[in-house]
């Protein structure tokens, strides 16, 4: 079959949240002839193997915690069977599949042509797409957006590392592991460790240092690490993994992990049914043809280099989202994609449109939740100087735990980092029940430049945890 040739105004490679948001804005609002290409399922990491199925699983874990805590409120709740992982997994899959269909319908509604295939650049304005049937399509585009996202990283140099799974594989598990090891100290490992533990798996978390979530404020790092230990997560500090091998004695999916850690400097082993690598993500660039188009990449990890306007070094080629490595969060990619479409196709009114990457709120769906926006205390002191920073903190027990025994109570801690005489809030860090929903509203205020006295001027809502943020002394 002869190759098919197409032309368009805007070609988007990558059907994740950022690419689709940009494509739909360009076509649906501005009428640009737009083609979107995706080789996997529409929606990218977030919809298929990220935020969406993760949050559904976190909800299940939160319900398990509530069932356990219900007795403190006078309820006698007995479960007649263990958590039905398989049924839950299939319902979650069906929900994701439904979302895939909605994404495709939305593309059609906004007149975006959708091609399912694997694309690679052949020149600065041309792309070849290998279709599912093995045939190829060539596309010439006036403007090209590279929004291919990323994929989980598996460590090199550890014998047997390929026997472990990644966050992608987490959502493929048909049965719940009795014992699981997770390696990593960021969002992915911490969130999944919390979910496994709450749902009843024996959970081991291997980290390289003394605390996890090390990009966050020290208050967050120290408190959440201690809380996971209180909840029964086995945390292996200062750890290294040396080998993973099949456990033939136990059979099935059982493996033996060889490692060193703070307690076992000379080495130890752990039998696990599942090992999950949560050590980071790499950009999806392997067969994208960047060299053919002359697109520059970051040397260390290979991210596409893009400026604040999402421009690459090649005229009319742009990049955003995880593949460019700025802030790897779905709402960031969506916002950047829409701003880019405005600038490229919205006329003079939007000629300077770009996303402001400062003060982006983010949440870790840990147990309990963690929320942050702006600078950590150390970063603020480094940027503005110690004498110009004032910190307000609150450490208390949320009323939810009032009916529970002391050893069952989870912490709640808040911190405001303020700068200058005006005490402008340049960082807010919260840990505790409800933090994810709470942060969105406070994030608006901080994005608008709120000062400590603005928070103080707001009458508290009582009794809530959030009132602590407007009554700090």
């Amino acid at each position: 079959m002869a190759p098919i040739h197409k032309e368009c105004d805007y070609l988007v490679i990558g059907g994740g949240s950022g690419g689709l948001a940009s494509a739909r804005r360009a076509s649906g609002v501005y009428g640009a002839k737009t083609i979107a290409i995706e080789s996997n399922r529409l929606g990218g990491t977030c919809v298929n193997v990220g935020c969406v199925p993760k949050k559904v699983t976190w909800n299940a874990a939160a319900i398990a915690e509530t069932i356990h805590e219900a007795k403190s409120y006078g309820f006698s709740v007995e479960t007649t069977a263990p958590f039905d992982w398989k049924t839950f997994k299939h319902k979650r899959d069906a929900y994701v599949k439904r979302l895939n269909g909605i994404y495709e319908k939305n593309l059609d509604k906004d007149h975006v042509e959708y091609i399912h295939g694997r694309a690679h650049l052949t020149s600065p304005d041309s792309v070849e797409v290998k279709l599912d049937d093995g045939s190829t399509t060539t596309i010439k585009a006036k403007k090209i957006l590279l929004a291919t996202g990323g994929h989980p990283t598996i460590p090199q140099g550890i014998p047997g590392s390929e026997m472990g799974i990644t966050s992608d594989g987490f959502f493929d598990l048909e049965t719940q592991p009795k014992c699981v090891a997770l390696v990593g100290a960021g969002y992915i490992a911490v969130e999944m460790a919390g979910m496994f533990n709450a749902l009843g798996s024996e959970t081991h978390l291997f980290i390289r240092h003394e605390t996890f979530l090390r990009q966050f404020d020290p208050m967050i790092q120290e408190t959440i690490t201690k809380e996971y230990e209180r909840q029964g997560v086995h945390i292996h500090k200062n750890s290294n993994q040396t080998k993973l091998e099949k456990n033939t004695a136990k059979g099935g999916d059982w493996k033996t992990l060889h490692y060193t850690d703070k307690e076992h400097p000379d080495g130890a082993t752990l039998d696990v049914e599942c090992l999950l690598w949560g050590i980071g993500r790499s950009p999806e660039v392997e067969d994208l043809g960047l060299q053919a188009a002359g697109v520059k990449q970051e040397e260390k990890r290979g991210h596409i280099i893009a400026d604040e306007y999402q421009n690459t070094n090649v005229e009319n080629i742009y990049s955003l989202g995880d593949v460019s490595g700025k802030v790897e969060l779905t709402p960031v990619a969506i916002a950047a994609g829409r701003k880019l479409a405005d600038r490229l196709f919205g006329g003079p009114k939007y000629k300077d449109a770009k996303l402001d990457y400062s003060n982006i709120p983010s949440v870790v769906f840990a147990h309990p939740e963690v929320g942050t926006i702006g600078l950590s205390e150390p970063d603020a002191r480094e940027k503005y100087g110690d004498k110009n920073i004032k910190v307000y903190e609150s450490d208390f027990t949320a009323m939810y735990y009032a009916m529970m025994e002391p050893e069952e109570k989870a912490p709640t801690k808040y911190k405001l980092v303020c700068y200058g005489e005006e005490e402008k809030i340049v960082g807010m860090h919260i840990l505790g029940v409800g933090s994810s929903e709470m942060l969105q509203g406070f994030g608006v205020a901080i994005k608008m430049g709120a000062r400590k006295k603005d928070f103080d001027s707001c009458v508290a809502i009582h009794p809530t945890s959030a009132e602590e943020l407007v009554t700090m002394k």
Side-chain angles (χ1 to χ4, degrees):
M1 184 183 292
I4 300 169
H5 300 280
K6 295 175 178 285
E7 293 188 0
C8 65
D9 298 318
Y10 195 36
L11 176 62
V12 176
I13 303 177
S17 300
L20 296 184
S22 195
R24 290 183 61 196
R25 178 70 64 95
S27 178
V29 176
Y30 301 115
K33 184 179 180 182
T34 304
I35 298 174
I37 303 169
E38 172 57 47
S39 61
N40 207 318
R41 293 178 288 172
L42 282 175
T45 296
C46 176
V47 170
N48 296 292
V49 289
C51 335
V52 171
K54 179 272 301 286
K55 182 65 184 291
V56 172
T57 310
W58 183 88
N59 288 340
I63 291 170
E65 291 175 322
T66 302
I67 292 171
H68 174 73
E69 294 160 349
K71 66 180 183 296
S72 297
Y73 276 88
F75 293 94
S76 179
V77 180
E78 292 185 13
T79 55
T80 58
F83 174 65
D84 190 345
W85 181 286
K86 189 170 186 176
T87 297
F88 168 76
K89 188 260 186 193
H90 290 170
K91 289 188 72 174
R92 186 183 63 201
D93 289 349
Y95 174 57
V96 170
K97 188 174 182 180
R98 200 155 64 244
L99 293 178
N100 297 146
I102 291 170
Y103 270 71
E104 188 164 357
K105 287 178 183 176
N106 285 338
L107 287 178
D108 184 63
K109 184 174 69 176
D110 284 325
H111 311 293
V112 176
E113 182 180 350
Y114 167 48
I115 297 175
H116 191 269
R118 191 76 175 177
H120 67 271
L121 296 158
T122 56
S123 75
D125 64 354
S126 298
V127 165
E128 182 178 83
V129 186
K130 186 175 182 179
L131 305 177
D132 295 341
D133 63 4
S135 63
T136 59
T137 293
T138 59
I139 304 172
K140 192 176 182 65
K142 294 177 182 176
K143 300 181 187 300
I144 298 173
L145 172 61
L146 307 176
T148 51
H151 56 258
T153 302
I154 292 180
Q156 303 300 308
I158 300 176
S161 62
E162 72 281 355
M163 288 189 284
I165 66 170
T166 65
S167 54
D168 288 2
F170 172 85
F171 299 107
D172 290 330
L173 289 172
E174 288 286 341
T175 57
Q176 181 176 358
K178 294 180 178 65
C179 180
V180 60
L182 302 98
V183 181
Y187 283 77
I188 293 170
V190 170
E191 289 179 335
M192 291 184 172
M195 292 184 286
F196 272 126
N197 185 63
L199 292 171
S201 295
E202 180 184 325
T203 304
H204 295 256
L205 180 59
F206 289 80
I207 60 177
R208 288 188 298 173
H209 301 280
E210 290 285 325
T211 58
F212 48 75
L213 297 181
R214 288 174 53 79
Q215 300 301 313
F216 286 71
D217 189 89
M219 178 196 78
I220 298 293
Q221 296 180 42
E222 294 160 11
T223 305
I224 195 67
T225 301
K226 289 178 183 176
E227 175 58 11
Y228 266 39
E229 290 177 312
R230 184 194 72 81
Q231 291 179 15
V233 177
H234 304 273
I235 299 179
H236 300 259
K237 300 175 181 179
N238 306 126
S239 71
N240 279 294
Q241 299 72 48
T242 56
K243 183 168 66 172
L244 184 64
E245 60 186 357
K246 280 188 172 296
N247 188 316
T248 53
K250 287 195 170 185
D253 293 326
W254 285 88
K255 306 163 188 70
T256 299
L257 174 66
H258 297 252
Y259 68 93
T260 60
D261 66 9
K262 188 176 182 179
E263 303 298 323
H264 306 92
D266 296 324
T269 60
L270 175 69
D271 294 337
V272 296
E273 201 170 7
C274 175
L275 182 139
L276 189 151
W277 301 111
I279 59 172
R281 295 177 63 82
S282 301
E284 185 77 13
V285 294
E286 287 78 4
D287 57 349
L288 193 51
L290 298 177
Q291 291 77 18
V295 177
K296 290 183 178 179
Q297 297 170 255
E298 179 210 32
E299 287 186 17
K300 187 175 181 181
R301 296 183 61 194
H303 289 102
I304 296 172
I305 298 171
D307 66 14
E308 60 186 332
Y309 289 93
Q310 315 304 151
N311 301 313
T312 69
N313 63 297
V314 178
E315 188 176 3
N316 294 323
I317 296 183
Y318 313 90
S319 186
L320 55 81
D322 291 5
V323 76
S324 64
K326 287 191 187 304
V327 180
E328 297 183 17
L329 297 170
T330 297
V332 173
I334 291 171
R338 289 173 177 161
K339 291 286 188 183
L340 177 62
D342 288 340
R343 183 169 69 84
L344 298 182
F345 302 105
K349 179 181 178 182
Y350 296 105
K351 65 182 179 65
D352 296 319
K354 64 175 181 176
L355 177 64
D356 177 6
Y357 281 88
S358 66
N359 283 331
I360 292 173
S362 65
V363 164
V364 184
F365 286 97
H367 297 260
E369 303 154 61
V370 167
T372 186
I373 181 171
L375 299 173
S376 67
E377 181 182 342
D379 287 346
R381 292 187 183 280
E382 182 179 349
K383 182 174 181 177
Y384 297 115
D386 285 340
K387 66 180 181 180
N388 296 312
I389 294 297
K390 186 168 183 179
V391 174
Y392 296 85
E393 294 186 70
S394 182
D395 179 352
F396 63 100
T397 301
M399 189 177 285
Y400 175 75
Y401 299 106
M403 308 295 286
M404 299 177 194
E405 297 301 318
E407 66 272 13
E408 296 177 322
K409 296 181 179 182
T412 306
K413 289 190 178 184
Y414 298 158
K415 176 187 282 191
L416 295 178
V417 181
C418 303
Y419 162 65
E421 292 183 8
E422 286 275 295
E423 293 193 333
K424 180 181 179 181
I425 300 170
V426 294
M428 186 176 96
H429 311 281
I430 57 177
L431 178 150
V433 174
S435 292
S436 60
E437 298 292 348
M438 195 185 304
L439 182 62
Q440 188 72 78
F442 282 102
V444 173
I446 291 172
K447 190 73 175 175
M448 293 175 68
R451 299 157 296 178
K452 176 65 168 59
K453 67 180 182 181
D454 297 317
F455 274 36
D456 295 341
S457 71
C458 182
V459 175
I461 301 170
H462 183 73
T464 64
S465 293
E467 67 181 297
E468 290 286 325
L469 289 166
V470 298
T471 57
M472 284 186 179
K473 301 297 182 186

